[in-house]
Amino acid sequence: MKLNLGCGRDIKKGYVNVDLYTTPGVDVTCDLSRLPWQWKAESVDEVIMLDFLEHFPYAKTNAILAEVYRILKSDAPVEIQVPSFEECSKAMNRAVGMLCNKCGFKFADEISLRCLCQQCGQAPFEIAEAGMKRLFGGQDFSGNFHYTAFTEDSLKRVLVDAGFNRFESLEVEHQRLNWNYKIRARKIGLTNDLWGSEP
């Protein structure tokens, strides 16, 4: 069994699609903030959580990841995508190196930050606004709020604390251009090696 947690409208074939709201394609409707979850220990082959973890308070992050660890089989992967705090904050601060959310253009110096995007014509203040929405959620319905933010390092640290390692960054350039960070980790056991080499 493979779980797509907090799937929303991103329904995936071959997965049990789980969400708080009943929408077409959702297989299981439940509140994933209520622990423990309904799945038995070591009963799940894979978990994906795309744009999911940031919807819970930071104080609940460890409990959520511990629950993922509990239900996964040994050596099974979890795949997580979260907004990239680094990229969103660059946009919000209109900092050198910020990326246009529409076309991926990189504002490489102070002069370019005072101008419209050279590729699509979007204004830097519009990019900053988009960065804020990506970081804090669209806030247009009750489930569309983000309660926490992650850097690559902070996400790896909470995963290590939960017992995961063997990290693999996924779709690196694509994710960066979309102000995301995406990672795969495996249930191997506790390790002090943040970068996930074999224990």
Side-chain angles (χ1 to χ4, degrees):
M1 174 174 50
K2 300 190 290 186
L3 299 178
N4 178 18
L5 299 182
C7 62
R9 293 185 177 90
D10 187 14
I11 303 302
K12 299 198 178 297
K13 288 185 179 180
Y15 289 80
V16 176
N17 295 283
V18 184
D19 200 73
L20 179 61
Y21 301 103
T22 302
T23 55
V26 171
D27 302 300
V28 175
T29 303
C30 66
D31 183 354
L32 292 166
S33 70
R34 294 178 183 260
L35 305 176
W37 294 336
Q38 64 191 41
W39 300 282
K40 293 180 181 177
E42 300 190 359
S43 64
V44 176
D45 297 296
E46 181 183 353
V47 170
I48 56 175
M49 304 188 310
L50 308 180
D51 299 312
F52 170 81
L53 199 54
E54 65 273 15
H55 289 270
F56 298 92
Y58 186 73
K60 202 153 194 172
T61 300
N62 289 340
I64 295 284
L65 292 177
E67 190 64 2
V68 173
Y69 188 91
R70 181 187 71 79
I71 66 174
L72 278 174
K73 295 177 181 177
S74 180
D75 198 39
V78 59
E79 191 171 299
I80 298 173
Q81 176 180 291
V82 292
S84 166
F85 182 79
E86 294 97 334
E87 298 301 333
C88 291
S89 62
K90 280 182 196 173
M92 291 168 64
N93 287 303
R94 295 190 231 177
V96 170
M98 85 169 177
L99 300 170
C100 177
N101 62 305
K102 287 187 177 177
C103 68
F105 173 76
K106 184 176 182 177
F107 288 75
D109 53 41
E110 294 289 340
I111 295 171
S112 66
L113 289 169
R114 294 186 218 120
C115 305
L116 300 178
C117 174
Q118 293 177 22
Q119 287 182 190
C120 71
Q122 186 175 203
F125 77 86
E126 292 175 308
I127 298 170
E129 181 74 13
M132 184 173 292
K133 285 182 179 177
R134 181 69 186 117
L135 199 57
F136 294 104
Q139 303 186 9
D140 52 350
F141 60 90
S142 63
N144 199 17
F145 285 78
H146 296 174
Y147 292 92
T148 191
F150 297 93
T151 63
E152 177 179 350
D153 183 64
S154 70
L155 183 57
K156 285 181 176 179
R157 286 184 187 280
V158 292
L159 282 163
V160 165
D161 288 346
F164 292 95
N165 58 27
R166 296 212 359 230
F167 299 111
E168 178 186 358
S169 295
L170 304 174
E171 306 172 46
V172 177
E173 188 61 16
H174 169 78
Q175 294 298 327
R176 188 179 74 87
L177 293 176
N178 288 283
W179 300 346
N180 290 323
Y181 178 63
K182 191 173 186 181
I183 189 172
R184 180 180 295 124
R186 290 191 175 268
K187 176 182 176 174
I188 303 295
L190 293 172
T191 177
N192 292 322
D193 181 0
L194 179 60
W195 302 108
S197 58
E198 295 285 352

